[in-house]
DNA sequence: CCACGGCCTGATTC
DNA sequence: AGAATCAGGCCGT
């Protein structure tokens, strides 16, 4: 099946930008899960070729649109950020990088596991959880695993998670899963809360501090004003905007919201990628 | 409110 | 080779 893309879109950059951790690349084709359906994607020019377990296949196009936020007017958002020198550079270098609207539960677990870790390890852990406890789905020769929900993760136990090499994060994932399983709450409900209320709710969960909460809010709960500050973004902001001065997380976050405005989250994603890939010139 | 040290693991550096 | 160090933080003191 084919789908025409009317928005700036770099599929590979988007899927390997550290927002999601379970997509796999084979040549120019990517496969992974969207709303528990297995999908393979290949983008050439402005045509997205896709195959999916979803039936009818055509229904997948709405899910793809939502997942990759193709319903955001990215050129307009970029225009609202382009006045800043660093962002202008970053957007020029990688204007097809998009935020992803992913499932909040998997996103939450991913970023609890991200603390003091790295992308390849997070991927390994998330894949081992899915393969060990999620339902298998196939699409031709492709195999995928759905990410197990709170009830299933709540039954694994801290020891089980340590066997999966989560380290000290095992306790956090175990406790968070048990809380969500007990609440029987769909995290999507947090979308209806204002940013600070939703953030406070998330931060009450074990293993969820300001940074993890901001990632979940930005990548899965439509809070585009959220500005997650990891070590890379911190270095970039302190160096580029504060002359090397060190500031607390909340001060930087408040500054970013004031400075970049309602789409600070996109600004963060561009700055993060710009800084990590080193595609920035001095001064 | 802020600063600091400890924490699992695994890859890389010293 | 084996010991430090670091990696997209959080939590308790």
């Amino acid at each position: 099946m084919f789908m025409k893309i009317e928005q700036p879109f770099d599929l590979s950059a988007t899927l390997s930008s550290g927002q999601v951790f379970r997509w796999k690349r084979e040549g120019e084709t990517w496969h992974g899960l969207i709303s528990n359906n297995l999908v393979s994607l290949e983008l050439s020019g402005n045509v997205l070729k896709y195959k999916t377990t979803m039936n009818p296949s055509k229904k997948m196009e709405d899910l793809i649109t939502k997942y990759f936020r193709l319903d955001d007017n990215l050129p307009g958002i970029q225009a609202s950020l382009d006045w800043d020198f660093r962002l202008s550079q970053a957007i020029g270098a990688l204007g097809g990088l998009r935020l992803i609207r992913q499932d909040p539960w998997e996103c939450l677990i991913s970023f609890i596991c991200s603390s003091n870790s790295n992308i390849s390890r997070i991927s390994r852990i998330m894949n081992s959880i899915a393969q060990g406890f999620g339902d298998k789905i196939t699409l031709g020769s492709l195999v995928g695993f759905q990410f197990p929900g709170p009830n299933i993760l709540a039954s694994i136990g801290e020891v089980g998670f340590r066997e999966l090499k989560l380290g000290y994060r095992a306790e956090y994932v175990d406790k968070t899963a048990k809380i969500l399983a007990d609440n029987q709450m769909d995290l999507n409900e947090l979308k209806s809360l204002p940013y600070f209320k939703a953030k406070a709710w998330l931060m009450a969960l074990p293993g969820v501090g300001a940074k993890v909460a901001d990632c979940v809010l930005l990548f899965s709960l439509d809070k585009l004003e959220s500005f997650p500050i990891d070590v890379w973004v911190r270095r970039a902001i302190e160096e580029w905007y504060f002359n090397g001065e060190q500031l607390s997380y909340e001060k930087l976050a408040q500054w970013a919201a004031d400075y970049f405005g309602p789409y600070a989250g996109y600004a963060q994603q561009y700055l993060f990628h710009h800084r990590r890939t080193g595609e920035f010139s001095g001064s």
Side-chain angles (χ1 to χ4, degrees), chain A residues 208-260:
Chain A
V208 182
K211 194 271 179 179
V212 170
D214 276 326
C215 286
V216 176
L217 290 164
L218 178 61
F219 300 145
S220 70
L221 293 172
D222 283 338
K223 302 304 181 192
L224 298 187
E225 68 270 47
S226 175
F227 192 87
I229 302 166
D230 54 60
V231 294
W232 294 92
V233 172
R234 175 177 292 276
R235 284 176 202 147
I237 299 290
E238 288 176 346
E239 177 184 326
W240 292 341
Y241 300 93
F242 288 91
N243 212 1
E245 183 188 353
Q246 307 202 0
L247 295 163
S248 72
Y249 187 100
E250 292 305 336
K251 280 190 175 154
L252 285 174
Q254 188 56 54
W255 170 83
D258 294 341
Y259 185 77
F260 293 116

Side-chain angles (χ1 to χ4, degrees), chain A residues 49-213:
Chain A
K49 187 165 72 176
Y50 67 92
K51 292 180 196 166
T52 176
T53 52
M54 174 159 263
N55 194 0
S57 299
K58 203 76 179 165
K59 272 183 67 184
M60 176 51 70
E61 296 190 12
D62 286 339
L63 296 182
I64 288 172
T65 299
K66 287 203 175 82
Y67 189 79
F68 291 107
R69 303 198 70 101
L70 297 168
D71 47 352
D72 279 345
N73 173 14
L74 190 53
I77 291 169
Q78 291 174 345
S80 80
L81 299 169
D82 193 60
W83 55 271
D84 177 80
F85 171 66
R86 301 292 179 180
L87 276 179
S88 177
Q89 280 189 319
I91 292 167
L94 199 60
L97 177 61
R98 306 188 71 91
L99 288 174
I100 295 175
R101 185 189 278 119
Q102 57 178 293
D103 170 68
W105 168 246
E106 179 168 349
C107 185
L108 174 63
I109 300 304
S110 299
F111 283 95
I112 288 177
C113 292
S114 78
S115 98
N116 212 2
S117 188
N118 54 66
I119 290 178
S120 70
R121 188 177 167 200
I122 301 164
S123 296
R124 202 160 53 238
I125 287 171
M126 294 301 288
N127 281 320
S128 63
I129 293 175
Q131 288 181 29
F133 304 96
D135 290 336
K136 182 177 181 177
I137 36 181
T138 58
L139 174 63
S141 60
L142 296 180
V143 178
F145 293 88
Q146 296 178 171
F147 193 75
N151 293 329
I152 293 175
L153 290 204
S155 71
I156 294 173
E158 180 183 339
V159 173
F161 287 121
R162 281 191 178 260
E163 287 169 1
L164 297 180
K165 304 301 180 187
L166 299 224
Y168 63 86
R169 307 158 198 82
E171 180 186 354
Y172 300 150
V173 172
D174 177 52
K175 288 185 172 169
T176 289
K178 283 173 174 154
I179 290 170
L180 269 289
D182 287 345
N183 282 7
Q184 284 300 310
M185 180 194 142
D186 180 351
L187 288 172
N188 282 295
E189 292 172 26
L190 294 175
K191 287 177 182 171
S192 63
L193 295 182
Y195 168 76
F196 282 111
K197 296 236 182 206
K199 184 169 179 176
W201 197 95
L202 288 169
M203 287 180 66
L205 297 170
V208 182
K211 194 271 179 179
V212 170

